[in-house]
Amino acid sequence: QVQLVESGGGLVQAGGSLRLSCAASGRTFSSYAMGWFRQAPGKEREFVADIVWSGGKTYYADSVKGRFTISTDNAKNTVYLQMNSLKPEDTAVYYCAARPSPTYEYVYWGQGTQVTVSS
């Protein structure tokens, strides 16, 4: 059974940092890409970042470029999202997801972790 388990969310002041983790299990993900999405109250879920597990090619939403960094630890089957210079508008539930590369449909999703940035 495939599982994506996020952790690392919390409350932080504007300008601060958090690192989210997504532990993946239940299958081999070497041919997958991993993504982070977020959903703020009353808003639609939006793409944040994506990384191809094999090769490490990354993609970012314009709103987070230069502030967020996505990375993987192959030995731990874990994907990270390092978030720096956080803003109140980054407040959302953050979700980890996986898609078979090079397709674009995310087929596995985690349960999410709350990130709250206070002003």
Side-chain angles (χ1 to χ4, degrees), residues 37-82:
F37 289 76
R38 66 187 181 186
Q39 187 167 20
K43 295 188 176 181
E44 293 191 355
R45 185 171 58 198
E46 64 173 357
F47 169 79
V48 174
D50 180 279
I51 185 167
V52 178
W53 210 298
S54 176
K57 189 171 178 60
T58 58
Y59 306 88
Y60 295 94
D62 288 343
S63 59
V64 307
K65 276 181 185 176
R67 299 189 299 123
F68 291 10
T69 302
I70 189 170
S71 62
T72 60
D73 183 330
N74 292 348
K76 296 182 178 180
N77 241 25
T78 299
V79 180
Y80 302 101
L81 186 68
Q82 177 67 43

Side-chain angles (χ1 to χ4, degrees), residues 6 10 18 20 24 26 50-51 53-54 56 65 69 73 78 80 86-87 90-91 114-115 117:
E6 302 97 334
L18 280 176
L20 304 183
D50 180 279
I51 185 167
W53 210 298
S54 176
K65 276 181 185 176
T69 302
D73 183 330
T78 299
Y80 302 101
L86 283 161
K87 305 175 182 180
D90 293 318
T91 295
Q114 176 71 47
V115 172
V117 185

Side-chain angles (χ1 to χ4, degrees), residues 29-41:
F29 286 93
S30 57
S31 62
Y32 278 65
M34 305 297 292
W36 285 98
F37 289 76
R38 66 187 181 186
Q39 187 167 20

